[in-house]
Amino acid sequence: MLKHLYISNYALIDRLDVDFNTGFSVITGETGAGKSIILGAIGLLLGQRADSKSVKTGCQKCTIEAEFDISRYNLSAWFEENDLDMEDSGECTIRRELTATGKSRGFINDTPVSVQQMKRLGEMLVDVHSQHQNLLLRTEDFQLTTVDIIAKNETLLKEYQKEWQEYNILDKEIKCMKLSLQESREKEDLLRFQLNELEAANLVEGEQEELEQEQEIASHTEEIKTALYTADRMLSDDAGTLDTLRQATNALSNISPLYGRIEPLVQRLESTIIELKDISSETAREADSIDFNAQRLEYVTERLDLIYTLQRKHHKTTVTELIKEYEQLKEAVANIDDGDETIKEKEQELQRILDNVHKTADKLTETRKKAARIIEKEIKKRLEALGMPDVEFEVNIKKGEPLSKGQDNISFMFSANKGMAMRPVAQVASGGEIARLMLSLKALVSTTVKLPTIIFDEIDTGVSGKIAEKMAEIMTDMGNAGRQVISITHLPQIASRGKYQYKVEKDNSQERTTTVMRQLDDEERVSEIAQMLSGSDITDAALKNAKELLKWK
């Protein structure tokens, strides 16, 4: 439940610091006093989109913080899954900070979190029912969701949606395969020709580089041989190079005993002579190994011409890419040969999955039909108590094709008056009737979904008098059943039934108008409810009537 709310520098609020209690509470105040501002602040804690314009003019940052008691709501698994600390006391603090520059930050127990995490936790802690939600009652999706909640279909619906997703993925795969097979068959002759051409080429990884190197050598055989022979001749004994080095070595060796410092030079010369002799031998061998082979050069040239032609034709730059192209063509042709059989097998699998989809959808339909009977009975009873003695209500379920939430098209059928045929809620229900129907549904749903806090924002729109009293009784019962129910209301009949009452009003005592909220004591409640009954001029009759309304306390 919501224990404490703190707001600073948000819209018209300088500072709001208020405690909340269990059971049924009400929030009252004149139109425009700022009740919607407070709901907007709570919405930020629940992960709604932030707007920098919400920061109070002249301030750099606004802060909204709420403290909840979550000790009874088994949320430890969610906290562990999101790597968040859960206080042993069972208290949880949610904070949202918004700067004037548009930056927004969220925190759960002082740990930074994403807006999505705030939203998910908020959905498990607070249900804010606004007038906008009354419009949701007119949509089939909301009606279906309501039936599923009463039917407790969460696990079964997940099972169905898993099968439905599996079916759709395979169905798309088969459609892609058919399209690909059709396209392949339209150009089958070309594919087979290209495959045979690449297959005949018998390409080998790395051969292009080797052939290009061999071609380069063969094209310059004479030039290479001449250079090698020249080097060998210049290094040979006939040229005198080695002989000259030997003479230099002998000259230095003769003085080495007399001039020892020269010995390292002698050793270096001897090593040089050995190295030059080795180089001379190597160049001679290389020169002898090179032999011009016109036939081999012709083969190399033709082979490279084939490779270059294939590369241009297939828009490739390497043999590796051509080999990959060959494998893809091979697979494409194989798919043409085996495509029909493969698709047939896939379609058999698709039918098996579709059979499972239908079976699970049938289970959903059965649970929804049972839940529909419960909803019809309970809603009719609740609406009769809310001043609609001739009401007729039916959950109409029609079987259709399987979709993401099953095969059922659900419509709430409604008639408020005797002799009037039932029609879809969206077509016949007035604002006051929608409000009463929605409250009845919320009360019924709350028996299944244990939300800690339910906030009703003017759910009493379009009703008054005795009906308002009955609506107040329903919300009181919800609060007495271990829930925290907060109702924002303009009706004294509902305001008087709250265990606690808070007033939102504007303060014009300072330079700027601000919104404030405070809990009323018993005397202040009498005055506030009397004002709601008679307007700004509070009469004795209004005060007396207010006391009568509060007698239950």
Side-chain angles (χ1 to χ4, degrees), residues 354-372:
L354 183 59
D355 290 342
N356 290 339
V357 167
H358 280 295
K359 287 177 184 177
T360 309
D362 287 340
K363 291 179 183 177
L364 278 171
T365 299
E366 288 305 309
T367 61
R368 287 165 178 169
K369 285 180 178 178
K370 291 177 182 177

Side-chain angles (χ1 to χ4, degrees), residues 373-425:
R373 305 292 82 80
I374 295 172
I375 294 171
E376 289 167 352
K377 180 180 177 181
E378 288 295 320
I379 295 303
K380 192 172 186 299
K381 182 173 68 176
R382 293 170 191 269
L383 289 176
E384 286 173 352
L386 288 172
M388 300 172 69
D390 299 316
V391 68
E392 294 294 333
F393 181 81
E394 179 182 296
V395 180
N396 185 275
I397 301 177
K398 289 184 178 179
K399 186 175 179 180
E401 290 300 315
L403 296 173
S404 61
K405 292 187 177 181
Q407 63 191 0
D408 304 312
N409 298 311
I410 288 183
S411 178
F412 287 175
M413 307 298 288
F414 179 83
S415 171
N417 302 303
K418 188 182 294 184
M420 182 180 290
M422 285 190 292
R423 294 171 63 190
V425 166

Side-chain angles (χ1 to χ4, degrees), residues 56-95:
K56 190 173 177 65
T57 303
C59 298
Q60 295 301 311
K61 182 178 78 170
C62 74
T63 301
I64 303 101
E65 182 175 290
E67 182 182 316
F68 292 87
D69 178 1
I70 61 172
S71 56
R72 296 184 296 141
Y73 297 103
N74 301 321
L75 295 176
S76 56
W78 186 87
F79 275 79
E80 184 176 344
E81 179 184 332
N82 287 272
D83 197 23
L84 294 169
D85 293 330
M86 186 170 176
E87 302 294 334
D88 293 336
S89 62
E91 293 184 353
C92 172
T93 301
I94 304 177
R95 185 170 76 256

Side-chain angles (χ1 to χ4, degrees), residues 230 499 507 512 526 533 538 543:
T230 299
K499 188 176 179 182
D507 181 1
R512 293 183 300 183
V526 172
L533 287 164
I538 301 176
L543 287 169

